[in-house]
Amino acid sequence: MLDTQPAQPTQTQSGAARIGFVSLGCPKNLVDSERILTQLRTEGYEVVNRYDNAELVIVNTCGFIDSAVQESLEAIGEALEENGKVIVTGCLGAKEDQIRAIHPKVLEISGPHAYEQVLEHVHRYVPKPTHNPFTSLVPAQGVKLTPRHYAYLKISEGCNHRCTFCIIPSMRGDLVSRPIGEVLAEAKRLKEAGVKELLVISQDTSAYGVDVKHRTGFYDGAPVKTSMLALGEELGKLGIWIRMHYVYPYPHVDDIIPLMAAGKILPYLDIPLQHASPRILKLMKRPGAVERTLERIRKWREICPDITLRSTFIVGFPGETEADFQLLLDFIAAAELDRVGCFKYSPVDGAQANELPDPVPEEVKEERFVRFMELQQQISTRKLAQKVGQTQWVLVDEVDAEGAIGRTPGDAPEIDGVIYLNGETNLKPGDLVRVSIEHADEYDLWGSVIA
């Protein structure tokens, strides 16, 4: 058995006890990791990136779909094998029995956004080191796991929706909006630390403030309503890129499009639509007014012609017929969304959709996935070709011996395309430059910096 008695801290030369950290999952989980790491650093712990010189390893898990569960269980197993002392937190932590059935030697387990509990567990096995905050300062913006020039800004926890394919509410609970003054203060600190782009995230960004009835908060002594529109207006005053993610298509989303047209926030909207067949959307417990969605997309483009629309869809949902799938293809062809992700339906332990009749065979899921992506690839190729000859701002993400790689306002990091700036070796990550677009393929662009 692994010794679970409180350990005496092993000190580094700097006097810090060493904690290893593994972060898995989505950007929302990444923000949770950043908060835990910030508190560890504040208390004087040293975070290390190796198993063999850590007193303890924390694994922040993902449990949204089966493949993520498997990845998390494998990461826990690797940490146990390499180090032996492991604390687990995150979404999969909500299923403690599942973890202990495979990894009984895990020391402690907690669920998502359980920051205080994680720190209590750490204190039990690696007591707080002697810490002088004047010699071990933590930056005002906290510890970040993203590059210095962009950061995720999480505005709420949980979700009020009960989509049949999703178990997020059972793991993260109902919607809890962060106070708007707290969100805006964090955004200001991040800008002052050099962040050039803030990616606003949550489980449902357009529902921000619903749980508190959009009450008025305060920021810099002024009243500010707790709503997505007010948040966008205030963030737009920072003078940096503001990108909205995970936006449900509620009617009030229309109100933020003028902010995009005015250049206050990026002309980019990430709306997870999931399907276009009214019957399948009903089975998913999702909004199903497809014609209304197409009309709103048309109006958004009238107000803000440069808007980039991103969405995600599921193919092979239980009960999906060829006719349902054709409705999805028809929608994709009509909507001409700029950026699209597609997932083959995968049963998630605990999801209501598992009980639905008529599961779609795996080979049919694969065939539909391929057809979907082929159609979207054609749309993407055509839309990117229209950008050739344009001049756009580009935020540089990385630079190597061949040149720089960056993103236009229409590209979010890690999920969308990039623009290659061959030969531009004098740039550095975080630079914002004007670029003439010269070439495009299915997903990416090429261009040259304008002096």
Side-chain angles (χ1 to χ4, degrees):
M1 287 290 293
L2 188 68
D3 181 11
T4 58
Q5 294 301 311
Q8 294 300 312
T10 300
Q11 306 288 337
T12 63
Q13 291 183 350
S14 62
R18 298 179 295 256
I19 305 294
F21 204 99
V22 178
S23 183
L24 305 171
C26 66
K28 294 176 281 293
N29 226 35
L30 187 73
V31 173
D32 291 346
S33 294
E34 290 174 341
R35 290 181 179 176
I36 295 169
L37 289 170
T38 296
Q39 189 59 38
L40 287 171
R41 288 281 302 277
T42 299
E43 293 185 358
Y45 292 95
E46 180 179 345
V47 180
V48 296
N49 60 2
R50 293 175 50 145
Y51 291 118
D52 58 1
N53 65 348
E55 309 303 315
L56 178 77
V57 177
I58 300 171
V59 181
N60 190 8
T61 60
C62 179
F64 182 49
I65 59 177
D66 287 351
S67 60
V69 170
Q70 187 60 36
E71 181 185 18
S72 295
L73 291 173
E74 289 174 357
I76 295 168
E78 179 180 284
L80 283 170
E81 182 178 347
E82 297 292 334
N83 181 275
K85 293 189 175 183
V86 177
I87 288 174
V88 174
T89 189
C91 290
L92 188 58
K95 300 178 179 180
E96 181 170 354
D97 292 345
Q98 184 176 355
I99 295 172
R100 292 209 178 275
I102 299 174
H103 300 301
K105 292 186 178 181
V106 166
L107 298 178
E108 305 284 355
I109 298 174
S110 60
H113 53 86
Y115 317 120
E116 294 180 0
Q117 192 173 3
V118 173
L119 268 295
E120 289 173 2
H121 292 162
V122 171
H123 297 159
R124 180 182 178 193
Y125 299 98
V126 186
K128 290 184 184 180
T130 303
H131 178 50
N132 183 346
F134 296 100
T135 59
S136 302
L137 295 177
V138 174
Q141 74 276 13
V143 176
K144 309 305 293 182
L145 297 177
T146 51
R148 184 174 182 268
H149 60 282
Y150 71 81
Y152 294 102
L153 182 68
K154 185 157 68 169
I155 62 173
S156 65
E157 296 283 1
C159 182
N160 288 342
H161 294 282
R162 294 297 183 265
C163 302
T164 58
F165 55 82
C166 180
I167 58 172
I168 290 297
S170 68
M171 294 188 292
R172 291 183 173 264
D174 289 337
L175 175 74
V176 179
S177 300
R178 293 179 63 196
I180 193 162
E182 178 184 305
V183 173
L184 293 172
E186 180 181 348
K188 182 180 179 182
R189 289 195 301 271
L190 289 167
K191 179 198 172 179
E192 291 173 346
V195 167
K196 303 290 183 66
E197 177 183 12
L198 285 175
L199 299 104
V200 178
I201 61 170
S202 66
Q203 300 298 334
D204 180 1
T205 295
S206 42
Y208 178 62
V210 167
D211 56 313
V212 294
K213 300 181 179 179
H214 301 298
R215 69 184 174 207
T216 298
F218 289 88
Y219 172 65
D220 276 353
V224 185
K225 190 176 180 180
T226 308
S227 70
M228 184 177 70
L229 177 60
L231 178 67
E233 290 172 338
E234 293 299 318
L235 291 175
K237 297 174 183 178
L238 292 175
I240 59 177
W241 283 13
I242 306 297
R243 192 182 300 277
M244 294 284 188
H245 283 280
Y246 312 114
V247 179
Y248 273 70
Y250 303 140
H252 68 262
V253 172
D254 298 354
D255 298 336
I256 71 167
I257 307 302
L259 294 180
M260 299 177 180
K264 302 297 184 182
I265 64 178
L266 288 182
Y268 181 100
L269 206 54
D270 173 15
I271 301 181
L273 296 172
Q274 307 299 2
H275 214 281
S277 162
R279 193 179 70 85
I280 296 300
L281 287 169
K282 185 176 181 179
L283 290 173
M284 291 178 169
K285 293 189 177 178
R286 300 280 298 185
V290 175
E291 289 302 320
R292 195 178 306 162
T293 300
L294 286 172
E295 177 60 20
R296 293 177 69 200
I297 289 173
R298 185 187 65 78
K299 289 183 177 179
W300 293 344
R301 286 172 170 156
E302 284 182 358
I303 298 169
C304 184
D306 293 333
I307 192 169
T308 294
L309 298 176
R310 151 168 273 281
S311 190
T312 51
F313 296 88
I314 298 172
V315 297
F317 191 78
E320 183 190 63
T321 65
E322 180 61 26
D324 292 318
F325 179 65
Q326 187 59 51
L327 287 174
L328 176 56
L329 294 183
D330 292 344
F331 175 84
I332 291 296
E336 291 198 309
L337 302 174
D338 302 89
R339 299 295 193 185
V340 171
C342 182
F343 301 90
K344 290 173 285 187
Y345 173 76
S346 174
V348 178
D349 187 26
Q352 295 178 35
N354 298 344
E355 308 304 319
L356 292 174
D358 304 318
V360 178
E362 289 300 321
E363 61 272 19
V364 177
K365 290 181 190 177
E366 177 64 24
E367 186 264 345
R368 289 177 182 171
F369 173 81
V370 170
R371 287 164 60 196
F372 180 99
M373 293 308 299
E374 286 177 347
L375 174 58
Q376 179 56 36
Q377 188 178 78
Q378 295 170 19
I379 296 170
S380 178
T381 300
R382 183 168 63 252
K383 300 207 76 170
L384 287 181
Q386 295 171 359
K387 296 181 183 294
V388 174
Q390 294 182 4
T391 298
Q392 292 201 16
W393 286 105
V394 168
L395 184 62
V396 176
D397 281 336
E398 56 182 289
V399 182
D400 58 25
E402 296 182 2
I405 301 174
R407 291 176 290 108
T408 71
D411 298 301
E414 299 185 0
I415 59 173
D416 292 329
V418 298
I419 181 165
Y420 294 96
L421 308 175
N422 294 336
E424 302 289 353
T425 57
N426 293 325
L427 300 175
K428 62 182 184 298
D431 282 349
L432 196 60
V433 294
R434 291 290 283 174
V435 170
S436 174
I437 299 173
E438 299 166 340
H439 178 68
D441 66 9
E442 302 94 330
Y443 302 114
D444 300 317
L445 301 167
W446 282 257
S448 298
V449 174
I450 300 173

